[in-house]
Amino acid sequence: RLAVTLAEHVALAFMNLKLRETLRNQSIRDPVTGLFNRRYMEETLERDIERVGRRQTSLGVVMLVLDHFKHFNDTYGHAAGDLLLREVGALLNAQIRGADIACRYGGEEFILILPEMPLDIVRQRVEALRLGIKQLDVQHRGQPLGAVTVSAGIAMFPEHGTAGENLLRAADQALISIRDRVIK
């Protein structure tokens, strides 16, 4: 009897641990892409800024936006849009270092936090990601969805700000500036 009771308590403890981990994961992960969510990104960005500030190194913040995503959703449907978001999320996760953070910021926007990476390397990484996303072969219901392009804005700590909010705003402004030049 004692062994059965002990086994039941151990089983409950393991189930509670698994449930706790599941709930934690749901609270910090985007359900569509599996990337970290905005809340986690904001907390992590502030922590990484403090760390690189102490070490006196740089940190890159990249805002990536899927171009013409609304048109894509209108043309192919939301299921295809979610599939595209998952594929982009998987590519981002596969292409970043262990110390980097890839997040879905909202809608078709993604944020990359690249600690201890100088601007020239950040630019190279963004270009590699841009080409990788363009080469994705996403198919929905057996139909290829075509090439996808992204626009990106880069901000660097400490040059463009010393707080997460400032870096996000600077990356967004850089993105807007690039998109304005492309449209003109």
Side-chain angles (χ1 to χ4, degrees), residues 127-142:
E127 181 60 14
L129 288 169
R130 188 189 68 75
L131 291 174
I133 291 168
K134 189 174 185 178
Q135 294 172 356
L136 281 175
D137 182 24
V138 182
Q139 296 194 13
H140 182 65
R141 297 184 181 152

Side-chain angles (χ1 to χ4, degrees), residues 8-180:
E8 287 173 351
H9 283 285
V10 170
L12 275 173
F14 280 125
M15 286 175 37
N16 282 337
L17 286 173
K18 184 174 171 96
L19 178 60
R20 186 177 300 152
E21 180 60 28
T22 299
L23 291 174
R24 182 186 183 301
N25 215 10
Q26 288 175 349
S27 73
I28 64 172
R29 296 274 181 184
D30 172 65
V32 175
T33 63
L35 297 175
F36 291 109
N37 62 23
R38 184 177 185 155
R39 180 183 325 136
Y40 181 84
M41 179 274 304
E42 289 169 347
E43 291 173 13
T44 301
L45 180 56
E46 294 304 330
R47 194 175 16 213
D48 282 350
I49 287 171
E50 286 180 33
R51 191 178 75 243
V52 299
R54 281 191 307 272
R55 294 180 181 174
Q56 298 183 343
T57 62
S58 60
L59 176 136
V61 174
V62 179
M63 183 176 285
L64 290 168
V65 176
L66 298 176
D67 297 327
H68 314 293
F69 187 71
K70 182 182 178 342
H71 175 73
F72 184 90
N73 257 350
D74 292 344
T75 303
Y76 298 107
H78 291 283
D82 285 352
L83 175 63
L84 176 60
L85 291 170
R86 274 192 298 281
E87 293 291 325
V88 169
L91 180 111
L92 293 176
N93 247 346
Q95 297 297 318
I96 62 173
R97 304 172 301 170
D100 300 340
I101 302 291
C103 307
R104 183 171 178 206
Y105 194 55
E108 70 277 15
E109 297 174 325
F110 299 88
I111 297 287
L112 300 175
I113 302 171
L114 308 169
E116 300 182 23
M117 188 179 288
L119 178 59
D120 59 330
I121 303 300
V122 171
R123 285 183 176 143
Q124 290 173 17
R125 299 291 302 280
V126 168
E127 181 60 14
L129 288 169
R130 188 189 68 75
L131 291 174
I133 291 168
K134 189 174 185 178
Q135 294 172 356
L136 281 175
D137 182 24
V138 182
Q139 296 194 13
H140 182 65
R141 297 184 181 152
Q143 177 184 2
L145 300 179
V148 178
T149 60
V150 294
S151 297
I154 298 171
M156 296 297 295
F157 169 88
E159 295 88 342
H160 300 115
T162 56
E165 183 180 313
N166 297 340
L167 290 170
L168 291 169
R169 190 172 21 259
D172 188 39
Q173 286 302 117
L175 176 67
I176 290 168
S177 170
I178 288 169
R179 286 184 138 188
D180 285 347

